[in-house]
Short mmCIF file of all heavy atoms in Angstrom, two decimals:
data_model
loop_
_atom_site.label_atom_id
_atom_site.label_comp_id
_atom_site.label_asym_id
_atom_site.label_seq_id
_atom_site.Cartn_x
_atom_site.Cartn_y
_atom_site.Cartn_z
N ARG A 1 80.21 81.47 89.23
CA ARG A 1 80.60 80.43 88.25
C ARG A 1 81.61 79.51 88.90
O ARG A 1 82.53 79.94 89.58
CB ARG A 1 81.21 81.08 87.01
CG ARG A 1 80.16 81.87 86.25
CD ARG A 1 80.29 81.96 84.76
NE ARG A 1 81.37 81.35 84.09
CZ ARG A 1 82.21 82.00 83.28
NH1 ARG A 1 82.08 83.30 83.08
NH2 ARG A 1 83.15 81.36 82.66
N ALA A 2 81.40 78.21 88.70
CA ALA A 2 82.26 77.19 89.28
C ALA A 2 83.46 76.91 88.39
O ALA A 2 83.34 76.85 87.17
CB ALA A 2 81.49 75.90 89.49
N VAL A 3 84.62 76.75 89.02
CA VAL A 3 85.85 76.38 88.32
C VAL A 3 86.37 75.11 88.99
O VAL A 3 86.69 75.12 90.18
CB VAL A 3 86.91 77.49 88.42
CG1 VAL A 3 88.22 77.05 87.79
CG2 VAL A 3 86.39 78.77 87.77
N PRO A 4 86.44 73.98 88.25
CA PRO A 4 86.90 72.74 88.86
C PRO A 4 88.39 72.81 89.22
O PRO A 4 89.17 73.43 88.51
CB PRO A 4 86.64 71.68 87.80
CG PRO A 4 86.49 72.42 86.52
CD PRO A 4 86.07 73.83 86.85
N LEU A 5 88.73 72.18 90.32
CA LEU A 5 90.13 72.08 90.74
C LEU A 5 90.62 70.69 90.39
O LEU A 5 90.44 69.74 91.16
CB LEU A 5 90.25 72.29 92.25
CG LEU A 5 90.11 73.71 92.74
CD1 LEU A 5 90.19 73.76 94.26
CD2 LEU A 5 91.18 74.59 92.15
N LEU A 6 91.21 70.55 89.25
CA LEU A 6 91.65 69.24 88.77
C LEU A 6 93.07 68.92 89.17
O LEU A 6 93.44 67.77 89.30
CB LEU A 6 91.51 69.17 87.25
CG LEU A 6 90.11 69.46 86.71
CD1 LEU A 6 90.12 69.50 85.20
CD2 LEU A 6 89.13 68.43 87.23
N ASP A 7 93.88 69.94 89.36
CA ASP A 7 95.31 69.73 89.56
C ASP A 7 95.76 69.90 91.01
O ASP A 7 96.95 69.92 91.27
CB ASP A 7 96.10 70.66 88.66
CG ASP A 7 95.81 72.13 88.97
OD1 ASP A 7 94.78 72.41 89.61
OD2 ASP A 7 96.62 72.98 88.58
N ARG A 8 94.85 70.00 91.94
CA ARG A 8 95.25 70.24 93.32
C ARG A 8 94.85 69.07 94.20
O ARG A 8 93.74 68.58 94.12
CB ARG A 8 94.60 71.51 93.85
CG ARG A 8 95.06 72.71 93.08
CD ARG A 8 95.04 73.93 93.93
NE ARG A 8 95.53 75.04 93.14
CZ ARG A 8 95.03 76.25 93.19
NH1 ARG A 8 94.04 76.51 94.00
NH2 ARG A 8 95.52 77.21 92.45
N GLU A 9 95.77 68.66 95.03
CA GLU A 9 95.50 67.59 95.98
C GLU A 9 94.94 68.19 97.26
O GLU A 9 95.06 69.37 97.52
CB GLU A 9 96.81 66.84 96.29
CG GLU A 9 97.37 66.07 95.12
CD GLU A 9 96.46 64.96 94.65
OE1 GLU A 9 95.87 64.28 95.51
OE2 GLU A 9 96.33 64.78 93.44
N GLY A 10 94.36 67.35 98.06
CA GLY A 10 93.86 67.79 99.36
C GLY A 10 92.45 68.31 99.29
O GLY A 10 92.00 68.77 98.26
N ASP A 11 91.78 68.18 100.40
CA ASP A 11 90.40 68.64 100.47
C ASP A 11 90.15 69.35 101.79
O ASP A 11 89.05 69.34 102.32
CB ASP A 11 89.43 67.47 100.28
CG ASP A 11 89.66 66.36 101.29
OD1 ASP A 11 90.49 66.51 102.20
OD2 ASP A 11 88.99 65.33 101.18
N GLU A 12 91.17 69.99 102.31
CA GLU A 12 91.06 70.65 103.59
C GLU A 12 90.20 71.91 103.49
O GLU A 12 90.42 72.76 102.64
CB GLU A 12 92.44 71.01 104.13
CG GLU A 12 93.30 69.79 104.45
CD GLU A 12 92.63 68.85 105.43
OE1 GLU A 12 92.09 69.32 106.45
OE2 GLU A 12 92.62 67.65 105.16
N LEU A 13 89.25 72.01 104.39
CA LEU A 13 88.37 73.17 104.40
C LEU A 13 89.12 74.45 104.75
O LEU A 13 88.76 75.52 104.28
CB LEU A 13 87.22 72.95 105.39
CG LEU A 13 86.28 71.80 105.06
CD1 LEU A 13 85.27 71.60 106.18
CD2 LEU A 13 85.57 72.04 103.74
N GLU A 14 90.15 74.34 105.56
CA GLU A 14 90.95 75.52 105.95
C GLU A 14 91.56 76.22 104.73
O GLU A 14 91.77 77.42 104.75
CB GLU A 14 92.07 75.11 106.90
CG GLU A 14 91.61 74.65 108.26
CD GLU A 14 91.35 75.80 109.21
OE1 GLU A 14 91.93 76.87 109.04
OE2 GLU A 14 90.55 75.60 110.14
N ALA A 15 91.84 75.45 103.69
CA ALA A 15 92.52 76.01 102.51
C ALA A 15 91.58 76.81 101.61
O ALA A 15 92.03 77.59 100.78
CB ALA A 15 93.14 74.88 101.70
N VAL A 16 90.28 76.65 101.79
CA VAL A 16 89.31 77.27 100.87
C VAL A 16 89.45 78.79 100.82
O VAL A 16 89.50 79.38 99.75
CB VAL A 16 87.87 76.86 101.24
CG1 VAL A 16 86.85 77.70 100.52
CG2 VAL A 16 87.67 75.39 100.93
N MET A 17 89.52 79.43 101.97
CA MET A 17 89.60 80.90 101.98
C MET A 17 90.87 81.39 101.30
O MET A 17 90.84 82.37 100.57
CB MET A 17 89.49 81.43 103.39
CG MET A 17 88.08 81.34 103.92
SD MET A 17 87.87 82.51 105.23
CE MET A 17 86.70 81.66 106.23
N LYS A 18 91.96 80.71 101.53
CA LYS A 18 93.23 81.10 100.88
C LYS A 18 93.13 80.93 99.37
O LYS A 18 93.58 81.78 98.61
CB LYS A 18 94.38 80.29 101.44
CG LYS A 18 94.74 80.67 102.85
CD LYS A 18 95.88 79.82 103.37
CE LYS A 18 96.12 80.14 104.84
NZ LYS A 18 97.10 79.25 105.43
N LEU A 19 92.54 79.80 98.93
CA LEU A 19 92.40 79.57 97.50
C LEU A 19 91.51 80.63 96.85
O LEU A 19 91.82 81.14 95.77
CB LEU A 19 91.81 78.18 97.24
CG LEU A 19 92.73 76.99 97.55
CD1 LEU A 19 91.96 75.69 97.45
CD2 LEU A 19 93.92 76.98 96.61
N LEU A 20 90.42 80.96 97.51
CA LEU A 20 89.53 81.99 96.96
C LEU A 20 90.21 83.36 96.96
O LEU A 20 90.05 84.14 96.02
CB LEU A 20 88.23 82.06 97.76
CG LEU A 20 87.25 80.92 97.50
CD1 LEU A 20 86.07 81.02 98.46
CD2 LEU A 20 86.76 80.94 96.06
N ALA A 21 90.95 83.66 98.01
CA ALA A 21 91.63 84.96 98.10
C ALA A 21 92.71 85.10 97.02
O ALA A 21 92.96 86.21 96.55
CB ALA A 21 92.23 85.15 99.48
N GLN A 22 93.32 83.99 96.60
CA GLN A 22 94.33 84.05 95.54
C GLN A 22 93.69 84.51 94.23
O GLN A 22 94.34 85.10 93.39
CB GLN A 22 94.97 82.67 95.33
CG GLN A 22 95.89 82.28 96.44
CD GLN A 22 96.37 80.84 96.28
OE1 GLN A 22 96.03 80.15 95.32
NE2 GLN A 22 97.15 80.38 97.24
N GLY A 23 92.42 84.20 94.07
CA GLY A 23 91.71 84.65 92.88
C GLY A 23 91.89 83.73 91.70
O GLY A 23 92.65 82.77 91.74
N PRO A 24 91.17 84.02 90.64
CA PRO A 24 91.22 83.20 89.43
C PRO A 24 92.54 83.37 88.68
O PRO A 24 93.25 84.36 88.88
CB PRO A 24 90.04 83.71 88.60
CG PRO A 24 89.77 85.08 89.10
CD PRO A 24 90.21 85.12 90.53
N THR A 25 92.81 82.41 87.83
CA THR A 25 93.99 82.48 86.98
C THR A 25 93.81 83.59 85.95
O THR A 25 92.71 84.11 85.77
CB THR A 25 94.22 81.15 86.24
OG1 THR A 25 93.11 80.94 85.34
CG2 THR A 25 94.36 79.98 87.20
N ALA A 26 94.86 83.91 85.23
CA ALA A 26 94.78 84.95 84.19
C ALA A 26 93.73 84.57 83.14
O ALA A 26 92.95 85.41 82.69
CB ALA A 26 96.14 85.16 83.55
N ALA A 27 93.70 83.31 82.75
CA ALA A 27 92.72 82.85 81.75
C ALA A 27 91.29 82.99 82.29
O ALA A 27 90.38 83.39 81.57
CB ALA A 27 92.99 81.40 81.37
N GLU A 28 91.10 82.68 83.56
CA GLU A 28 89.77 82.81 84.17
C GLU A 28 89.37 84.28 84.31
O GLU A 28 88.21 84.63 84.12
CB GLU A 28 89.75 82.10 85.53
CG GLU A 28 89.90 80.59 85.40
CD GLU A 28 90.32 79.90 86.68
OE1 GLU A 28 90.73 80.58 87.66
OE2 GLU A 28 90.27 78.65 86.72
N ARG A 29 90.34 85.14 84.58
CA ARG A 29 90.06 86.58 84.66
C ARG A 29 89.63 87.11 83.29
O ARG A 29 88.74 87.95 83.20
CB ARG A 29 91.26 87.36 85.19
CG ARG A 29 91.44 87.22 86.69
CD ARG A 29 92.45 88.20 87.24
NE ARG A 29 93.76 88.15 86.61
CZ ARG A 29 94.76 87.35 86.98
NH1 ARG A 29 94.59 86.54 88.00
NH2 ARG A 29 95.90 87.37 86.36
N ARG A 30 90.25 86.60 82.23
CA ARG A 30 89.86 87.02 80.87
C ARG A 30 88.43 86.59 80.57
O ARG A 30 87.76 87.19 79.73
CB ARG A 30 90.82 86.45 79.83
CG ARG A 30 92.16 87.17 79.79
CD ARG A 30 92.98 86.78 78.58
NE ARG A 30 93.38 85.38 78.57
CZ ARG A 30 94.45 84.89 79.18
NH1 ARG A 30 95.25 85.68 79.87
NH2 ARG A 30 94.74 83.61 79.11
N GLN A 31 87.94 85.57 81.25
CA GLN A 31 86.55 85.12 81.07
C GLN A 31 85.59 85.90 81.97
O GLN A 31 84.41 85.59 82.04
CB GLN A 31 86.44 83.63 81.38
CG GLN A 31 87.17 82.75 80.42
CD GLN A 31 87.10 81.28 80.83
OE1 GLN A 31 86.42 80.90 81.77
NE2 GLN A 31 87.82 80.46 80.11
N GLY A 32 86.11 86.91 82.67
CA GLY A 32 85.26 87.76 83.49
C GLY A 32 85.09 87.32 84.93
O GLY A 32 84.21 87.81 85.62
N LEU A 33 85.92 86.39 85.39
CA LEU A 33 85.80 85.90 86.76
C LEU A 33 86.69 86.72 87.70
O LEU A 33 87.77 87.15 87.31
CB LEU A 33 86.19 84.42 86.84
CG LEU A 33 85.37 83.47 85.97
CD1 LEU A 33 85.86 82.05 86.16
CD2 LEU A 33 83.90 83.59 86.28
N THR A 34 86.22 86.89 88.91
CA THR A 34 86.98 87.61 89.92
C THR A 34 86.64 87.03 91.29
O THR A 34 85.68 86.29 91.43
CB THR A 34 86.69 89.12 89.88
OG1 THR A 34 87.61 89.79 90.74
CG2 THR A 34 85.27 89.44 90.32
#
């Protein structure tokens, strides 16, 4: 499931793995995302 990044600047590909590793927000986790 896709989650839009509306509040983050930058489009560096290097940041993708770190962003994914941080995981979803608490609200997104309540929606069953991991």
Side-chain angles (χ1 to χ4, degrees):
R1 293 211 358 235
V3 175
L5 285 177
L6 304 174
D7 61 342
R8 297 209 178 140
E9 293 296 320
D11 56 5
E12 295 304 314
L13 296 175
E14 292 276 335
V16 168
M17 286 203 212
K18 289 179 185 173
L19 290 172
L20 285 174
Q22 288 173 2
T25 65
E28 293 162 348
R29 284 192 304 273
R30 284 191 296 274
Q31 294 176 6
L33 302 180
T34 189

